[in-house]
Amino acid sequence: MGVRSGSKRTTGWRATIAVAMSNYIEAGSIIAIATSLSLWQDRFGLDDLAVGLLASLCANAFGAAVGAAIGGPLCDRYGRKFIYTYDLLLYMLGVLLAVFAVSYGMLLTAFVLTGIAVGAGVTASWTYIAEEAPDHQRATHVGTAQLAWSIGPMIGYLLAVLVGPLGLLGSRLIFAHLFVVAAVTWWVRRGLAESEIWRSRNEEPGTQMSFLGSLRGLFSKKANLTALLFLFGVYALWNAVAGQAGIFQPRVYDAAGVTSETEQYLLQVLLWGCTSAATYLGFMLLADRVSRRWLYCGGAALGILAWAALIYAPANTFTLLFFAIGWGVSAGVGAQAFYGLWTSELFATRYRASAQGVLFLAARVLVGLLSVWFPVLLTRIGLDGLGLLILALLTASLLIGTLWTPRTRGKSLRQIEQERYGTAPTSDAVVA
């Protein structure tokens, strides 16, 4: 029994790391786009609205939303492995188009394809990791996806500094590195097994659901609806701010008075380095052991303080460092990490990936709508003018997540399902 348990832990960590790479690829795509937008704008003579369209249809917004809407229900219908076997093939096609883009239309197509692939892959990855993780280490394993998501931008901005003298060629090389990472990840994933929880549930008579049936079931139960509203408040509102920061942060720094591109990128390297450290030391090591309510609240409050300083405090070295460190640490133990954990815990197996898809869709649509106009608004009314909106969204996310924190720590997914849906655990359950 002990040998089997040790083997399962080893296999679980291998699977966790391989599947978590979807988050590195997603974040890497966003940063590759963020650091190249001005270069593409100059290359193709684009106005701010055309740039906003690129940002809104990429992996940061509508592109990922479409992928999540399709990938989530398919993941519940055909399995987790079905998605993470094929999504990276589409992703590799998209980044290759970006590497060799010679027109605005080609570039826009590249961003849309990578966005669709990212949306499908991320929803499957969070679901798979949570289902394969030990009950007492679920946050640790889910946090690995958040860690990969934070390492991606850190490396992306560092690469942007290194290849900056090459101009647009340097940006094409960053996209090329994402192609290589995706290819290696796809090869490793080919040997992974299907989620045991999904396979056991799917083998039970009468449990197979169609693509639309999974969505109908998701919206027909009160337990699902309350969880959807809660998680939308936690993640989508926070992500409306984080999404703009991810794609337009260099422009935000410029509006705050930092005009050197190298300095902007190095601030981002610091920010994402803090996110990586906080994800490991804060979320991965603590979220399975301490009160999740206060861990979440502390991270969310620090994020509000960081943005308030950037918006309203004098633009000096201390303010910029406070923002980079504060927002970075906040993101490591904040809404996205808890969203990935809670979305996997609050939905039954048959709805889990579909819920991920619907929520990711809603969050990225919200980001997309704001992304279309964000560069225009930033130019016209400045960071001060957008400050109240940014702080209001972050405050709402803090209050919702703190007041209604789920009591799921240490429980098995089947036990949580039994408590929330009032159903008996199925044969594969191990009830704590």
Side-chain angles (χ1 to χ4, degrees), residues 257-395:
V258 182
T259 57
S260 167
E261 188 175 83
T262 299
E263 290 179 2
Q264 292 173 356
Y265 291 169
L266 289 176
L267 277 171
Q268 289 299 87
V269 171
L270 172 63
L271 187 155
W272 290 106
C274 291
T275 302
S276 301
T279 298
Y280 179 74
L281 298 174
F283 187 81
M284 294 177 67
L285 295 186
L286 297 180
D288 286 313
R289 302 178 182 181
V290 304
S291 168
R292 291 177 177 176
R293 183 189 306 276
W294 297 115
L295 185 61
Y296 172 86
C297 180
L302 181 58
I304 293 173
L305 290 176
W307 273 99
L310 181 67
I311 295 167
Y312 299 116
N316 53 39
T317 301
F318 175 80
T319 298
L320 293 170
L321 290 176
F322 179 81
F323 171 78
I325 295 171
W327 180 241
V329 172
S330 170
V333 292
Q336 180 158 289
F338 278 100
Y339 163 79
L341 178 63
W342 288 335
T343 307
S344 299
E345 292 180 335
L346 297 182
F347 296 95
T349 302
R350 68 179 64 190
Y351 309 122
R352 189 167 291 127
S354 295
Q356 290 271 18
V358 168
L359 286 164
F360 207 72
L361 166 68
R364 292 311 168 98
V365 166
L366 188 58
V367 170
L369 292 174
L370 190 54
S371 293
V372 173
W373 298 107
F374 190 86
V376 179
L377 293 173
L378 195 60
T379 299
R380 290 182 179 177
I381 65 176
L383 191 56
D384 287 352
L386 287 169
L388 288 178
L389 174 62
I390 290 172
L391 296 179
L393 290 169
L394 293 177
T395 301

Side-chain angles (χ1 to χ4, degrees), residues 72-80 127 131 197-202 204-221 224 344 346-356 414 417 421 423-424 426:
L74 285 178
C75 193
D76 281 333
R77 176 66 181 90
Y78 296 106
R80 295 24 175 158
T127 300
E131 290 179 346
I197 290 180
W198 180 86
R199 187 173 61 248
S200 298
R201 193 276 302 169
N202 202 53
E204 297 170 9
T207 59
Q208 293 80 7
M209 301 182 70
S210 66
F211 180 94
L212 294 178
S214 179
L215 290 175
R216 284 196 298 268
L218 179 65
F219 289 104
S220 65
K221 293 184 178 295
N224 290 338
S344 299
L346 297 182
F347 296 95
T349 302
R350 68 179 64 190
Y351 309 122
R352 189 167 291 127
S354 295
Q356 290 271 18
R414 290 303 189 183
E417 180 177 339
Y421 293 85
T423 57
T426 49

